[in-house]
Each structure stands twice: as structure tokens, then as C-alpha cells.
Amino acid sequence: MLTLGIETSCDDTSVALLENNKNLRCFLVASQLKDHETFGGVVPELASRKHLENLIPLLSQLLDECEIKNPPREIHLIAVTDGPGLMGSLLIGTTAAKALAQAWEVPLIAVNHLEGHIFSNYLAHDDLLPPFITLIISGGHTELILVRSFGDYKLLGATRDDAVGEAFDKVARLLGLGYPGGPMIEKMARGGDPFAIPLPVPMADSPSIEFSFSGLKTAVLWALKRNPNLRVEDVCASFQRAAIEALLRKVDLAVKITGISKVAISGGVAANSWLREKIEGKSWHAYLPPIELCTDNAAMIAAAGYNAYKRGERSPLSFVPDPSKSLA
């Protein structure tokens, strides 16, 4: 059974073909980083226009590379992200998916983008089965979720303010490093001392599973104001240490509270090398997707859609994307 996945929740256009539950035939991503870097972040109207330009040519390339000659006969399911995300971007993907589902007479599954991130690890690890904890960390999300079973999720905790990836972007902007901030800070941090600046670990003493990164961002700002001659490498390394420690402390707490020691980490920040290094010594078992599946991609959407289809879910053509859609 072949599932076509479509992902357009933010600024990456992506399509994928998945055979059954885990055999990824092909997936493609058209990045918009060059289009948005001048503005220091994603411009929603520009993002939706670029999706409109990219989606159909990308889909044609996918079908060619996978040697799909007769899509109505060879593709059996379409899965598309319907939220959360930017409304204009979501509309491009969902409208295309609805048109294809109607034209090809195949069922359609609307997929929560966050559930997609959970399935990026499912694609990569045969032994990852519920129950487990998942930490979703990206430019727009910082959530700890208990996966009781696929389709049954409980929110354990989320950020009060900035997502961790957003904090990386904002600190990079303070330092004049450009966009996206995460890879730039990680690169500069390799030459810095992570303990050079005594930045606070957010929510370190809180007994609840929640995050906050706005105060850490402000602490970086004041450190720079007090001493404009700080080495950029040291600022990046110290910020990265504090942000990652904040994440891992709350994972420790979630493992202690739930008694579940399997933790799947996904989202763009899951590609961070400092994070990947620091989880090595943890008592819990971490699952991480390959780097290419950390950021937004249609492979994870296809996997989540196929699983939902096997659970008996179907989506009507009348569904409306929800930019604020929650998972649990």
C-alpha cells in the first residue's frame, strides 16, 4: 500500500511516498531558507506563495523518481498536515491533497503536525512502541507528551512562552548571526566555553513539567549589555548549555513521574549535537531520528497518516486546517 504524504505547515514544502508502514520509497523537501533569511524569520505570506510555486513541480519529481506511471491505480492513500502551522501554508497543502484525493478517488487523512514528529522516530526505530514519552522541540514547539498508544496522547508539559527553537533564533539575532539561528549558534558554540557566562537554567527549581525560555533570552541580552566584549563563541556555548539542560531536566522529571524510561526526541532542535551528546549519559533510553527527519518533512506525515488509516480513521473533504491545532 502506497501513501502520499504532503507537508506544508510552515516554510518547507515536502512530499513523500511510503510503502506500508515503514518502507520510505522517496521523500523530497524544497527549502525556503534563502527566501526568508533576509527578513530574519519566516514571512507567512511569502511562505504560502512559495508553497504554491513548489508543490506541484515537487510532486511531479517525486512521481518520476519513484516511477509512478498511473497515480490513481498505484497510490492508495493521501496524508496531509492540517495543523498546527501557518494558515496560508496549510491551505496550500490541504487544498492540493483534497483535489488529488477527489481526482484519484483515494481516501484522505488529515494529520496533526506534532503527531507527524512522533512518527519520524517510528520510521527510524523498529523497537519504538507505546507507551513512551516524546519531547517535540522546534522553532514553534516545546512539548513533552505521553504516548499511551498511537492516537492516544497526554500533554505532560509545554513552554510558557518561547519555544526552544525560537529562543535559539532570537539569541542568534541578538548576536547578528543570521537566520536560522539554531545551526549558527551550534556552529559558533563549538569554539566556546559553555561555562564562561553563568546563565540561568530556566525552570530549574520548578517541580512541574513546564518550560520557559524568554528569561534565558533576556539574560543573554543583559550579559551583552554589561560586557559588549564577550566572545560570541562563549555566549553561544553558554546559552546552548543552559537551554539544553533545561530540556533534559524536564525529561528527567517526566521519566521520574511517569515511570516510563523510553523517550523519543524529535523536531528541528533534535538535530543539535550538544543535545545528542548530553543524552548519552542519561538513565533513560533516548530515540532520535536521523538528521534529515528532524525538520519538517512529508515522510513523517505519511507514516502518521498510514497508522491513522489502519486505526480506522478517515477525513472528509470538508475538513478545515487549524493553525492552532493541539495534539493532546
Side-chain angles (χ1 to χ4, degrees), residues 61-89:
Q61 182 183 344
L62 179 81
L63 298 178
D64 286 344
E65 290 191 11
C66 290
E67 298 182 343
I68 302 297
K69 306 299 183 184
N70 190 343
R73 290 184 177 274
E74 297 178 69
I75 294 175
H76 309 99
L77 177 67
I78 296 175
V80 62
T81 305
D82 75 329
L86 301 175
M87 187 59 170
S89 295

Side-chain angles (χ1 to χ4, degrees), residues 133-137 141-147 154-159 209-211 246-255 263-265 328:
I133 296 168
T134 186
L135 174 67
I136 302 173
I137 42 177
H141 303 284
T142 304
E143 284 109 343
L144 263 169
I145 294 168
L146 172 60
V147 181
K154 178 184 178 182
L155 179 66
L156 299 175
T159 182
I209 302 173
E210 57 182 340
F211 307 91
L247 293 172
L248 296 183
R249 284 194 185 193
K250 295 306 178 181
V251 174
D252 290 340
L253 181 58
V255 168
V263 181
I265 305 175

